Amino acid sequence: MWLLLIATYDFRQRRVPNWLALAGAVMALTALATGGGPLENEWKPSLLGAGVAFGALLLFYVFGLMGAGDVKFAGALGLWVGLGSLLPIWIIGSLLAGLHAVLWLVLQRWPLMPRLSQMLFGSPSSAVGSTPSTRVRFIPYAAYLALAAAVWMVWGRQSG
C-alpha cells in the first residue's frame, strides 16, 4: 500500500511528501523490530540498504538531478528491502525512468498525442514562473522505484 501511495503522489504531483517517506521508514523499522517485514530482512542488511540508497541518491540531489523526496524515499525503501535487493530494484526503476525520458524526448519532437504528453509530463503552464530552485521535474523517479520494488517483492515471493 505504501508503494502505491508513493507512486501515486509522485506521478500526480512530481513530489514525495515528507510525511509519506517518514511513514515508510517508521513502518519499516517497526516491521524489523517485530520480524514482520515483507522480505523478512534483518537489521544489518536493512540499515545498510537504507544508508547506501540514501547516500547514493543524495549525490544526484546535490547536483540538481533529483528531488529530495526521491532521496528520502530511497532511504526508506532501503530499510524495507535491504542491501541485497537494491541493485535489481535500481536497475528496474532506472530502466522505467529511462523509458519515460525517451518518451518525453519523442513527444517533445513529435507532439502527436498532446493529452498523453500532458498526463506524463504535466501541463506546459506548470513551468511558467518557475525558478531554478523550483524547476519542474518530468521524471517521477520515486514512482518508478516504487513500481520496481513492488515487482521485485512479488517476483521474489513466487520464485522463493
Side-chain angles (χ1 to χ4, degrees):
M1 185 55 98
W2 176 65
L3 294 173
L4 178 62
L5 284 172
I6 291 287
T8 301
Y9 263 93
D10 204 22
F11 275 127
R12 288 182 173 213
Q13 299 179 8
R14 294 302 192 265
R15 62 182 296 273
V16 176
N18 287 334
W19 67 267
L20 197 50
L22 181 61
V26 168
M27 288 186 299
L29 290 171
T30 302
L32 281 167
T34 61
L39 299 179
E40 299 172 4
N41 283 334
E42 294 181 12
W43 282 97
K44 186 177 179 180
S46 292
L47 292 174
L48 283 171
V52 168
F54 185 86
L57 294 190
L58 185 60
L59 292 174
F60 289 96
Y61 171 74
V62 167
F63 291 110
L65 301 172
M66 186 169 290
D70 298 326
V71 177
K72 291 177 260 187
F73 166 69
L77 181 63
L79 279 173
W80 276 110
V81 301
L83 186 60
S85 298
L86 276 181
L87 185 61
I89 289 171
W90 270 342
I91 290 170
I92 295 167
S94 295
L95 288 173
L96 292 171
L99 289 173
H100 186 113
V102 168
L103 185 59
W104 178 76
L105 289 171
V106 167
L107 290 175
Q108 289 297 307
R109 293 187 189 272
W110 301 288
L112 301 174
M113 298 179 228
R115 294 191 95 184
L116 176 62
S117 181
Q118 184 177 5
M119 181 183 77
L120 290 174
F121 312 114
S123 65
S125 63
S126 65
V128 174
S130 65
T131 63
S133 64
T134 61
R135 70 174 202 202
V136 177
R137 300 196 189 280
F138 291 108
I139 300 175
Y141 192 65
Y144 290 124
L145 280 179
L147 293 175
V151 167
W152 184 253
M153 283 193 249
V154 169
W155 179 77
R157 283 185 177 178
Q158 290 178 355
S159 65

